[in-house]
Amino acid sequence: SRSLLFDGSTSGYTSYKIILFTMKVSVLILALTASAANAYSVSSSRRQVFQKAFGTAAAVAVASPQLAQALEQCPSGSNNCVRTTWTPPSGTSKADAAKAVRDALLAYPQEGQNDVDGGGWTIAEDDLDGSGKARVEYKSSGKKFFAKAFNGGKPFVDDLKIEINDSGVVAIKSQSRVGDSDFGVNKARVSYLAAGLQSKGWGI
């Protein structure tokens, strides 16, 4: 009873407060443990349902969304970024898709095209035959008004990122490093590259 815990002395009152505090902490720990267990159960059940319906790969994608879509999307409302997907003809291996993409990149004119990329381009990263990733840097001529007025006369630089998945499907993202609008440059570049693949049966 309370009389046993609190005998009126200072030490008895202190012991009583400590016991109450300990009981509250124990109840809180039990509640948090139960909540965590329930959350894990829900998550596990969701993965199990997807795995039964669609297989292990789909279950992994649900558990880890970043694996399903590695190449990031363009920022919402962006006017200087283009992201799209290219699909190879049926039966194309990842290795063959990588070769076709590399051929398309190398066929792009170093002097640019249609008043786009007059400063040339450089393959900055190339692991198409391994991870399926690559990055190409494209430069404007640096001679136009906006480059002179807003970029110190230096060329504007855009990055084209490529990721090929195991099925040979290619994700493409072309984005300007600076500026709010690219005046259609990224779209023109991606369309030029896509045209070469489309002529070989790719879905663009």
Side-chain angles (χ1 to χ4, degrees), residues 29-50:
I29 291 175
L30 288 173
L32 291 174
T33 302
S35 177
N38 181 63
Y40 176 79
S41 176
V42 171
S43 178
S44 297
S45 299
R46 185 176 67 167
R47 289 197 298 271
Q48 291 171 357
V49 169
F50 270 81

Side-chain angles (χ1 to χ4, degrees), residues 77-94:
S78 174
N79 295 315
N80 65 353
C81 181
V82 172
R83 190 188 185 285
T84 188
T85 302
W86 300 338
T87 305
S90 178
T92 301
S93 66
K94 180 179 180 180

Side-chain angles (χ1 to χ4, degrees), residues 11-95:
S11 61
Y13 179 75
T14 301
S15 298
Y16 173 68
K17 296 290 287 184
I18 291 174
I19 292 173
L20 282 180
F21 177 76
T22 303
M23 292 175 65
K24 290 180 180 179
V25 171
S26 298
V27 171
L28 178 60
I29 291 175
L30 288 173
L32 291 174
T33 302
S35 177
N38 181 63
Y40 176 79
S41 176
V42 171
S43 178
S44 297
S45 299
R46 185 176 67 167
R47 289 197 298 271
Q48 291 171 357
V49 169
F50 270 81
Q51 186 168 349
K52 288 181 180 179
F54 304 106
T56 302
V60 171
V62 170
S64 305
Q66 67 273 18
L67 295 180
Q69 194 171 51
L71 187 59
E72 66 274 12
Q73 296 286 343
C74 290
S76 178
S78 174
N79 295 315
N80 65 353
C81 181
V82 172
R83 190 188 185 285
T84 188
T85 302
W86 300 338
T87 305
S90 178
T92 301
S93 66
K94 180 179 180 180

Side-chain angles (χ1 to χ4, degrees), residues 8-197:
S9 66
T10 301
S11 61
Y13 179 75
T14 301
S15 298
Y16 173 68
K17 296 290 287 184
I18 291 174
I19 292 173
L20 282 180
F21 177 76
T22 303
M23 292 175 65
K24 290 180 180 179
V25 171
S26 298
V27 171
L28 178 60
I29 291 175
L30 288 173
L32 291 174
T33 302
S35 177
N38 181 63
Y40 176 79
S41 176
V42 171
S43 178
S44 297
S45 299
R46 185 176 67 167
R47 289 197 298 271
Q48 291 171 357
V49 169
F50 270 81
Q51 186 168 349
K52 288 181 180 179
F54 304 106
T56 302
V60 171
V62 170
S64 305
Q66 67 273 18
L67 295 180
Q69 194 171 51
L71 187 59
E72 66 274 12
Q73 296 286 343
C74 290
S76 178
S78 174
N79 295 315
N80 65 353
C81 181
V82 172
R83 190 188 185 285
T84 188
T85 302
W86 300 338
T87 305
S90 178
T92 301
S93 66
K94 180 179 180 180
D96 288 339
K99 182 181 183 303
V101 170
R102 183 179 285 107
D103 289 345
L105 293 175
L106 295 177
Y108 195 86
Q110 266 293 343
E111 67 276 10
Q113 46 85 26
N114 294 325
D115 209 24
V116 172
D117 300 326
W121 53 269
T122 304
I123 297 180
E125 301 172 19
D126 184 358
D127 192 32
L128 291 176
D129 296 325
S131 64
K133 298 181 181 181
R135 181 174 64 84
V136 185
E137 296 179 356
Y138 293 86
K139 295 181 179 180
S140 70
S141 66
K143 299 177 181 179
K144 295 185 178 181
F145 170 77
F146 285 99
K148 293 179 179 179
F150 301 105
N151 206 37
K154 299 178 181 179
F156 288 109
V157 181
D158 299 343
D159 293 294
L160 180 84
K161 294 182 179 180
I162 303 164
E163 290 192 10
I164 307 175
N165 68 19
D166 291 338
S167 300
V169 176
V170 181
I172 294 288
K173 179 183 177 183
S174 186
Q175 184 175 18
S176 302
R177 293 184 183 179
V178 298
D180 178 65
S181 176
D182 63 1
F183 299 96
V185 167
N186 286 288
K187 182 178 180 180
R189 177 186 306 119
V190 172
S191 296
Y192 187 98
L193 293 169
L197 293 173

